[in-house]
């Protein structure tokens, strides 16, 4: 059976339908960042950690398609591209991730400046900004260690040995922090030996 509606109500029902459709599209648009994170970025991180890099790349790209401002997806895609030896693509993703105040992205970009471009002043500038921003957003011990290590490395390459030693010593002091990843310490000690 079909519902019969008098013709005089058609305009009102059409307007109501348009309003409901607009509200629905608005709600969908508002939920895209959450959808991107839940269904694409987070599973992409799991695939990345499991070594399924092609699926991870697809997931991160889909997240970015849904939400171009998903800085975590940009950061993770940057890490993936760096692992795939694609530093230019990694650099682009890190630059986008930095806009979301992801200190690890700034650190990774600085490291690329040291390794790829030999642009030590740019690396130092990025790393110092990261340390300065710690007053607003405290760094976790792993990230702070990496920032200090890379700052010490850049200063070593600039032949600024006293500052290189000071930053590397700060990084070494962090290694006694509870829950610190012990695998990350060898580079710091090797750099300190070079300073000495």
């Amino acid at each position: 059976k079909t519902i019969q509606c008098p013709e005089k109500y058609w305009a009102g029902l059409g307007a109501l339908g348009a309003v409901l459709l607009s509200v629905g599209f608005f709600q969908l648009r508002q939920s895209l960042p959450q959808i991107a994170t839940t269904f694409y970025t987070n599973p992409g991180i799991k695939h990345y950690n499991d070594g399924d890099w092609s699926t991870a790349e697809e997931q991160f790209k889909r997240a970015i398609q849904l939400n171009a401002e998903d800085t975590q997806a940009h950061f993770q895609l940057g890490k993936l591209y760096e692992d795939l030896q694609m530093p230019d693509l990694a650099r682009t993703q890190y630059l986008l991730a930095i806009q979301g105040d992801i200190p690890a992205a700034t650190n990774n970009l600085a490291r690329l400046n040291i390794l790829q471009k030999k642009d030590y002043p740019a690396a130092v500038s990025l790393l110092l900004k990261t340390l300065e921003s710690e007053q607003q957003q405290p760094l976790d011990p792993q990230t702070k260690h990496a920032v200090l290590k890379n700052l010490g490395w850049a200063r070593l390459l600039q032949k600024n040995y006293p500052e290189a030693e000071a930053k590397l010593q700060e990084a070494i002091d962090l290694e006694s922090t509870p829950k610190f990843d012990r695998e990350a310490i060898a580079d710091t000690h090797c750099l300190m030996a070079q300073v000495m």
Side-chain angles (χ1 to χ4, degrees):
K1 253 183 172 182
T2 60
I3 299 173
Q4 297 295 326
C5 180
E7 194 173 322
K8 65 181 181 179
Y9 298 118
W10 287 3
L13 287 174
L16 178 63
V19 168
L20 290 175
L21 193 59
S22 295
V23 169
F25 280 129
F26 178 75
Q27 289 290 345
L28 178 63
R29 177 67 184 112
Q30 293 296 91
S31 64
L32 285 179
Q34 185 63 35
I35 291 170
T37 300
T38 303
F39 293 103
Y40 297 107
T41 304
N42 291 343
I45 293 170
K46 182 180 180 337
H47 287 291
Y48 173 80
N49 290 335
D50 291 344
D52 184 1
W53 290 357
S54 62
T55 303
E57 181 181 18
E58 289 174 25
Q59 297 282 36
F60 298 141
K61 286 181 174 180
R62 285 183 186 156
I64 291 166
Q65 285 174 341
L66 287 175
N67 178 18
E69 296 174 6
D70 186 340
T71 53
Q72 189 58 233
H74 285 293
F75 171 59
Q76 296 297 330
L77 191 55
K79 286 177 27 181
L80 175 67
Y81 285 147
E82 195 171 350
D83 288 339
L84 292 171
Q85 303 297 311
M86 303 166 101
D88 292 335
L89 293 175
R91 181 181 312 283
T92 299
Q93 295 304 318
Y94 289 149
L95 284 167
L96 293 166
I98 287 171
Q99 295 173 13
D101 293 326
I102 299 179
T106 307
N107 176 67
N108 289 6
L109 181 61
R111 189 183 68 243
L112 283 178
N113 282 338
I114 295 168
L115 284 170
Q116 302 291 323
K117 291 191 162 195
K118 310 292 186 224
D119 189 349
Y120 311 130
V124 167
S125 176
L126 286 167
L127 295 166
L128 288 174
K129 282 182 195 173
T130 303
L131 290 174
E132 289 168 11
S133 70
E134 188 177 22
Q135 295 167 3
Q136 291 87 22
Q137 178 185 356
L139 299 173
D140 65 85
Q142 295 293 143
T143 302
K144 186 170 184 177
H145 181 272
V147 168
L148 290 167
K149 176 198 59 118
N150 286 331
L151 184 54
W153 183 22
R155 290 305 195 191
L156 168 65
L157 294 170
Q158 289 179 317
K159 300 187 182 342
N160 183 340
Y161 303 118
E163 190 169 346
E165 180 181 5
K167 295 307 175 191
L168 291 169
Q169 188 59 55
E170 281 184 63
I172 290 169
D173 292 344
L174 279 175
E175 294 169 6
S176 61
T177 305
K179 298 182 183 175
F180 189 83
D181 179 7
R182 307 302 293 162
E183 294 176 18
I185 66 173
D187 291 347
T188 311
H189 290 274
C190 180
L191 289 168
M192 183 65 94
Q194 291 177 51
V195 169
M196 294 297 133

